[in-house]
Amino acid sequence: MLINGVQIDDTFAEAFNMRGTRVIITAQNLKWAYNAANAMTGFATSVIGCGVEAGIEKELAPEETPDGRPGVAILMFAMGSAVLMKQLETRMGQCILTCPTAAAFSGLEGNDRISLGKNLRFFGDGFQISKQFGGKRYWRVPVMDGEFITEETTGMVRAVGGGNFLVLAESQPQALAACEAAIEAMKKIPNVIMPFPGGVVRSGSKVGSKYKSMFASTNDAFCPTLKGLTRSELSPEIESVMEIVIDGLTDLDIRKATRAGIAAACELGAENGIKRISAGNYGGKLGQFQFHLRDIMSDPALAGI
Amino acid sequence: MSALTFTLKIRTTQRIDVSALTPEKLQGQSPETTAAILLPSGKHALRVDEVFDIAGDDAGNIVFKNSDGKLDYIGSQMKSGSIIVEGEAGAYLGFQMRSGNITVHGNTGVYAASGMAGGFIHIHGNAGDFLAAAIVGDRKGMKGGTVIVSGNAGDRVGDQMRRGILLIEGNVGSYCASRMLAGTIGVLGTVGDHVGFGMRRGTLLLTKTPEMHATLQDCGTHTLPFLSLMFKSFAQLPGKFAKIGSNRVQRYAGDIANDGKGEILVLQ
């Protein structure tokens, strides 16, 4: 399969069941909503080292938020509900409670609820006040800038993490330009985040290592400087490979984001040095989901995304 | 199907307990069974058809017509449907109500919404004393739901109220929010003496600064973000509370003689 001269490999991304949640962060203005949300989703690139994968999903206009202030929605994913709850609580405490004017609200309905401000209220040392409006419980915690407002709980859903694709290019700047274009397109897709810095990861990994203490190590088959040393996946003209990892609330969301991202990367085409699109998997043995690149790129149901 | 309508046809000196006439209790009952229900009245019991002309068949929507202030316990322990009262309602309107709607196009007696845990009551006239308060021997008044009073209310409004929203567009009497445990009371008019007496937690929203006793403490003027959430939730409600725009208030905390976690917010 060729799109604009870019080869789409006959392979698939392997993804996993995760637990996901959405939190709406509002503040006096977007600047401070971003300050809070950036802190909350910082150091959350991979569950391997950070516990959760998190990112900003979208900006929200004042009329879209519960308290009528500007805000952003963030998505957070973890391998299990216990980790997700723990991480949400610590990040709420250190990043939202602390951020001037910031407030946090549930971004997901549903019966599976996890604590948002439920335990954070005790920071109020007895001066915290509970209020219930429209069937939802909120906490008012007195803080130095006034009152910190948080909803008691947010929803948790079964989600999908680890959707991905690789961009193989003739040079590092070209690979990065393609990934930037892909990320811009993918940011428009709801219900997904690309958790790595700027949405792009350059250190793709394989399972295992020569060192006993390491569970994962560099994906040497895709490292351009090792072409002559290892069983390389790269043809001679490939000089740089970058990966985009996608977490989403459903597998359809990931399919949509994959489609939008690959389409945008391919728009630069072979003439801009973009040669191949591939994907990372573990032979299909580990993950519950497989995202076959050619299926996604030829699926008429995803056209127009 | 038309609303099941009870038109009061006699005037009694004794009060009549109509707690048997709620949507879920009358659902699926034949007209004969409904007519034969006995309503306690003093030391007697009166058949429904002795007291009311009965028309209609939709027990989910009940209407009391020509009613007077002697009809107690309208909508008592109601769990669904709607009741419309065209006239006065007696004491204990919506007593321990769980869900559904009650609309009163007239005044109500004492203890309206006492023990109410959910649902919606709209009183277009005035409410008597002990609105949303706990009955004697109970330790909690209203426990949930929303009540709107378009007129005035009497003394002891929200006494020992535990949860829910109580909005009064007119004036209220003395001891408003006394011994309040939690929840929200809003009063657009004036309040009488001893407001917030023994108030433990909860919010009393006012438009005019009342006279306050020494154990209510001024905490200054603030723009409180939770008020935006609250007024947004009021926006769907009928009446004047839907139109409040400002979230700048003078905050008084108290009653510090009783833990002091309650607050009186006066809109600026």
Side-chain angles (χ1 to χ4, degrees):
Chain A
M1 183 187 228
L2 279 176
I3 300 177
N4 206 11
V6 185
Q7 185 197 317
I8 310 296
D9 282 4
D10 185 11
T11 185
F12 59 91
E14 195 169 342
F16 298 85
N17 269 324
M18 291 182 101
R19 293 300 185 117
T21 185
R22 182 190 280 124
V23 179
I24 293 172
I25 312 289
T26 68
Q28 183 176 291
N29 52 38
L30 263 184
K31 176 182 170 184
W32 284 96
Y34 269 108
N35 283 343
N38 283 329
M40 182 138 171
T41 58
F43 187 58
T45 54
S46 166
V47 288
I48 296 167
C50 313
V52 286
E53 297 178 6
I56 293 172
E57 180 199 11
K58 59 188 170 192
E59 256 175 40
L60 298 170
E63 51 277 10
E64 296 173 286
T65 63
D67 64 351
R69 298 191 299 171
V72 294
I74 67 160
L75 292 175
M76 197 176 270
F77 298 88
M79 296 309 285
S81 50
V83 190
L84 186 63
M85 284 189 247
K86 177 87 194 116
Q87 285 282 336
L88 182 59
E89 209 164 294
T90 15
R91 284 165 190 266
M92 280 286 294
Q94 301 306 309
C95 309
I96 309 301
L97 172 68
T98 57
C99 179
T101 77
F105 302 97
S106 164
L108 279 178
E109 299 302 323
N111 293 329
D112 212 357
R113 310 300 292 173
I114 54 173
S115 304
L116 189 64
K118 194 175 178 179
N119 296 319
L120 214 51
R121 72 175 193 257
F122 295 113
F123 183 76
D125 200 23
F127 296 106
Q128 69 273 22
I129 297 172
S130 153
K131 283 280 146 197
Q132 264 185 317
F133 309 118
K136 291 177 174 175
R137 182 190 290 276
Y138 302 92
W139 284 99
R140 299 163 55 192
V141 182
V143 283
M144 295 198 308
D145 84 338
E147 271 186 345
F148 165 56
I149 306 291
T150 174
E151 204 168 326
E152 177 163 84
T153 60
T154 185
M156 177 170 67
V157 292
R158 290 186 181 280
V160 186
N164 68 77
F165 62 89
L166 303 170
V167 177
L168 289 68
E170 285 176 335
S171 73
Q172 202 180 68
Q174 288 171 320
L176 191 59
C179 286
E180 284 179 354
I183 289 295
E184 277 315 306
M186 294 164 82
K187 276 184 180 170
K188 298 189 179 82
I189 308 293
N191 306 334
V192 295
I193 51 156
M194 287 63 73
F196 282 96
V200 190
V201 49
R202 58 105 175 259
S203 60
S205 57
K206 66 173 183 290
V207 178
S209 159
K210 68 178 278 192
Y211 304 107
K212 280 181 192 161
S213 61
M214 301 277 286
F215 301 109
S217 60
T218 194
N219 192 357
D220 53 74
F222 283 90
C223 289
T225 56
L226 302 179
K227 265 185 267 191
L229 282 177
T230 187
R231 188 182 288 187
S232 185
E233 289 276 343
L234 307 179
S235 48
E237 76 278 16
I238 305 298
E239 204 179 294
S240 184
V241 181
M242 291 176 194
E243 181 176 357
I244 290 178
V245 173
I246 312 156
D247 296 333
L249 293 183
T250 68
D251 58 340
L252 178 63
D253 296 320
I254 291 190
R255 288 172 67 83
K256 287 178 181 173
T258 305
R259 170 80 171 235
I262 294 178
C266 290
E267 213 158 285
L268 275 74
E271 69 268 27
N272 285 307
I274 315 304
K275 305 304 278 189
R276 263 173 73 196
I277 302 291
S278 189
N281 62 58
Y282 311 93
K285 293 192 188 79
L286 292 179
Q288 294 80 10
F289 299 92
Q290 293 183 1
F291 297 98
H292 290 265
L293 299 184
R294 290 184 179 178
D295 274 4
I296 289 175
M297 295 316 289
S298 57
D299 187 350
L302 297 177
I305 281 170
Chain B
M1 291 219 293
S2 58
L4 182 55
T5 305
F6 297 97
T7 308
L8 188 66
K9 61 182 182 186
I10 56 168
R11 296 286 172 207
T12 55
T13 42
Q14 273 292 357
R15 314 190 68 81
I16 304 173
D17 176 349
V18 296
S19 59
L21 307 181
T22 61
E24 61 280 348
K25 285 178 187 159
L26 296 181
Q27 206 76 53
Q29 303 275 27
S30 68
E32 296 74 35
T33 324
T34 303
I37 293 173
L38 293 175
L39 304 174
S41 176
K43 63 179 181 179
H44 303 290
L46 303 170
R47 278 174 61 101
V48 169
D49 58 2
E50 277 180 78
V51 182
F52 298 104
D53 285 327
I54 307 169
D57 48 6
D58 179 9
N61 292 294
I62 293 175
V63 178
F64 288 96
K65 279 191 173 161
N66 191 33
S67 64
D68 64 10
K70 294 281 168 56
L71 300 184
D72 291 348
Y73 291 103
I74 294 175
S76 173
Q77 300 182 329
M78 174 173 168
K79 294 186 184 71
S80 64
S82 95
I83 295 180
I84 295 171
V85 183
E86 294 177 0
E88 310 277 297
Y92 306 105
L93 174 87
F95 181 70
Q96 296 181 346
M97 172 180 178
R98 306 291 290 275
S99 184
N101 284 291
I102 301 178
T103 309
V104 182
H105 296 283
N107 305 324
T108 66
V110 295
Y111 286 108
S114 175
M116 174 180 178
F120 179 71
I121 297 181
H122 192 167
I123 299 165
H124 287 271
N126 302 324
D129 295 341
F130 296 99
L131 171 67
I135 56 165
V136 174
D138 242 350
R139 298 188 64 189
K140 286 174 191 163
M142 180 176 170
K143 294 192 257 300
T146 305
V147 177
I148 294 182
V149 180
S150 302
N152 305 320
D155 296 341
R156 290 279 186 176
V157 166
D159 182 51
Q160 299 189 90
M161 174 172 167
R162 174 64 183 83
R163 197 181 291 124
I165 294 168
L166 173 56
L167 304 175
I168 299 142
E169 293 174 9
N171 306 324
V172 304
S174 315
Y175 291 97
C176 178
S178 61
R179 306 187 291 174
M180 186 175 177
L181 297 170
T184 304
I185 302 177
V187 181
L188 294 183
T190 59
V191 294
D193 297 336
H194 306 293
V195 61
F197 181 85
M199 187 177 183
R200 191 177 175 83
R201 289 189 305 270
T203 303
L204 172 60
L205 182 73
L206 301 175
T207 55
K208 298 171 190 74
T209 309
E211 206 151 304
M212 277 181 273
H213 53 273
T215 47
L216 293 172
Q217 296 290 309
D218 188 357
C219 293
T221 310
H222 305 283
T223 303
L224 295 180
F226 96 93
L227 288 172
S228 314
L229 287 169
M230 188 164 92
F231 295 146
K232 201 171 170 182
S233 80
F234 290 174
Q236 293 87 348
L237 297 175
K240 296 177 186 165
F241 278 89
K243 296 177 188 76
I244 299 175
S246 160
N247 57 354
R248 186 144 184 88
V249 290
Q250 184 86 13
R251 181 173 193 267
Y252 299 87
D255 182 339
I256 55 168
N258 191 15
D259 215 19
K261 302 284 166 52
E263 62 182 357
I264 297 177
L265 304 178
V266 184
L267 281 164
Q268 299 296 298

